[in-house]
Amino acid sequence: MAGVEKGIPTMVLAAASLDGIISVCGFGVSFKIAFSEIDDSQGGSVLLLALNAPISIVGGIAIGYMSAHLQFGLTRLALLGMSPGCGRDVLLAPTFRAFVLLAVSITAVFVLDWAGYSAGGYLTVMVQSCMLASLWNDLDAQCKDTHKKLEEGKEVGHTLEIATADSPDAEAIENNLEVSRESVGGKHVDVGTAAVSDLYKKLWAYAQPALFMLIGAEVFVRKISASSILTAAIILALAMPVRFLVTYLSVSTSAVLTIKERLFVCLAWMPKATVQAALGSVVLDYARELNIEDDGVIDDTLDVGEVILTLAVLSILITAPIGAVSIFVTGPLWLEQKSPYQT
């Protein structure tokens, strides 16, 4: 795959995720400040509202860290502390691990949003997912290594057990051997992330169209004024070059990347879709709700919500196809191609 050797795909995905978290965090703070004078439920001093962002970041990281280790502890307990059986098989199953991760993620998002720290929920999801992926894959690699050594030890009279009998980690190694001993000659116990990731990909294949259907249902073309479209177009025209330039300057700090690779990263970060689809209609929906309660006295807020929704839709319609085509065309040309015969 192009660019893998320098970690370009991983860098693009990680930066896109962090960019989404920062966007949600900034949107949440701006939303509260903008509506604090209209709606008492969004009230509070500007200082307290501004502190919402750092509290969300620190809290999201801390909760994500603890959640990841708790879920990993459950997996490790099932693998090393439970005897073979239906209960352990269920706990180690990719479906169960994916379900627990999804349930915890949804709970974190809703609870922290209810508490007024919406960005912290999304940061919790990202942190715990990244940490769990690393922990699960490390444990899976250890199991594979132990399984391989056990097979080799079996052929030479179980010399592995004898060699490690006096080791300080003999008990842990023995536990790993017991786990692997069940599957000698067969497949080792899989506790990695590959199967979990495949399940989420299948789920996202259905969830992604639904997300864009929801924002599409909010758009009434006949009600969008020409001034809203013009305002949104001007904002995009000014923002996109600035984003491109800042991205290039950011990746220029890396001496590893060539000029073409830096330009590719700029193009890869251009598409905007998921966050815009999720947040585009929030202000307009909230303005409609307030407008009904106040008998239509906040028409200006409705106009602002309309502009934001229009901007979100235009950003998707313009940047997504341009970015996708740019990545498809420039990727094979500007990124280093690893030979299939290289290891």
Side-chain angles (χ1 to χ4, degrees):
M1 184 177 180
V4 172
E5 288 297 300
K6 295 184 179 180
I8 293 178
T10 302
M11 178 178 63
V12 170
L13 288 174
S17 300
L18 184 59
D19 181 61
I21 296 297
I22 295 174
S23 299
V24 173
C25 187
F27 176 84
V29 174
S30 302
F31 181 85
K32 289 178 177 296
I33 293 175
F35 286 98
S36 60
E37 295 182 359
I38 301 176
D39 185 8
D40 293 337
S41 65
Q42 303 291 339
S45 67
V46 175
L47 177 60
L48 291 177
L49 293 174
L51 288 175
N52 183 279
I55 292 175
S56 297
I57 293 173
V58 174
I61 294 175
I63 296 173
Y65 179 87
M66 291 186 292
S67 175
H69 278 82
L70 286 174
Q71 293 178 65
F72 174 71
L74 179 63
T75 302
R76 197 173 188 280
L77 175 64
L79 182 66
L80 301 179
M82 296 177 63
S83 58
C86 180
R88 197 188 75 162
D89 293 340
V90 171
L91 292 177
L92 295 179
T95 304
F96 178 80
R97 289 187 286 135
F99 173 78
V100 172
L101 177 58
L102 180 62
V104 172
S105 299
I106 293 176
T107 302
V109 169
F110 278 97
V111 170
L112 289 176
D113 181 66
W114 170 80
Y117 303 100
S118 56
Y122 299 105
L123 189 57
T124 296
V125 173
M126 187 176 74
V127 170
Q128 73 169 353
S129 299
C130 291
M131 292 199 65
L132 267 177
S134 177
L135 293 170
W136 277 341
N137 286 330
D138 287 345
L139 183 61
D140 189 59
Q142 293 175 12
C143 289
K144 286 181 179 179
D145 182 62
T146 302
H147 179 75
K148 180 179 178 181
K149 290 179 179 179
L150 178 63
E151 288 183 318
E152 295 173 352
K154 182 180 179 181
E155 295 175 359
V156 295
H158 300 287
T159 56
L160 182 63
E161 288 92 330
I162 298 173
T164 59
D166 297 327
S167 171
D169 299 324
E171 184 177 352
I173 295 175
E174 184 179 353
N175 288 335
N176 280 330
L177 290 174
E178 290 297 331
V179 171
S180 297
R181 187 173 283 115
E182 305 164 15
S183 54
V184 173
K187 187 177 180 180
H188 88 293
V189 180
D190 183 11
V191 291
T193 59
V196 175
S197 178
D198 288 340
L199 289 173
Y200 282 132
K201 288 178 181 177
K202 294 176 181 178
L203 178 62
W204 181 239
Y206 295 97
Q208 187 177 28
L211 176 63
F212 290 97
M213 285 167 56
L214 289 174
I215 190 174
E218 287 289 336
V219 178
F220 297 95
V221 179
R222 294 181 180 179
K223 292 185 178 182
I224 297 178
S225 62
S227 60
S228 297
I229 297 177
L230 179 61
T231 303
I234 292 174
I235 293 175
L236 278 177
L238 295 174
M240 289 177 62
V242 174
R243 179 182 176 85
F244 191 96
L245 177 61
V246 172
T247 301
Y248 185 84
L249 293 176
S250 299
V251 295
S252 295
T253 57
S254 173
V256 178
L257 301 180
T258 64
I259 294 178
K260 290 183 178 180
E261 289 170 339
R262 295 170 187 172
L263 291 174
F264 173 81
V265 173
C266 296
L267 294 174
W269 279 341
M270 181 185 298
K272 308 302 297 177
T274 309
V275 174
Q276 283 68 23
L279 301 180
S281 62
V282 170
V283 174
L284 184 58
D285 289 340
Y286 192 73
R288 287 171 179 168
E289 182 181 341
L290 290 179
N291 200 46
I292 293 174
E293 294 176 355
D294 295 345
D295 299 325
V297 297
I298 53 170
D299 293 336
D300 290 342
T301 307
L302 286 171
D303 293 337
V304 172
E306 185 179 275
V307 171
I308 293 176
L309 177 60
T310 305
L311 178 59
V313 173
L314 285 180
S315 67
I316 295 172
L317 294 177
I318 294 174
T319 64
I322 292 177
V325 172
S326 300
I327 293 172
F328 179 77
V329 173
T330 61
L333 298 176
W334 291 355
L335 301 183
E336 293 182 4
Q337 304 287 330
K338 182 180 178 181
S339 170
Y341 300 103
Q342 290 179 322
T343 57

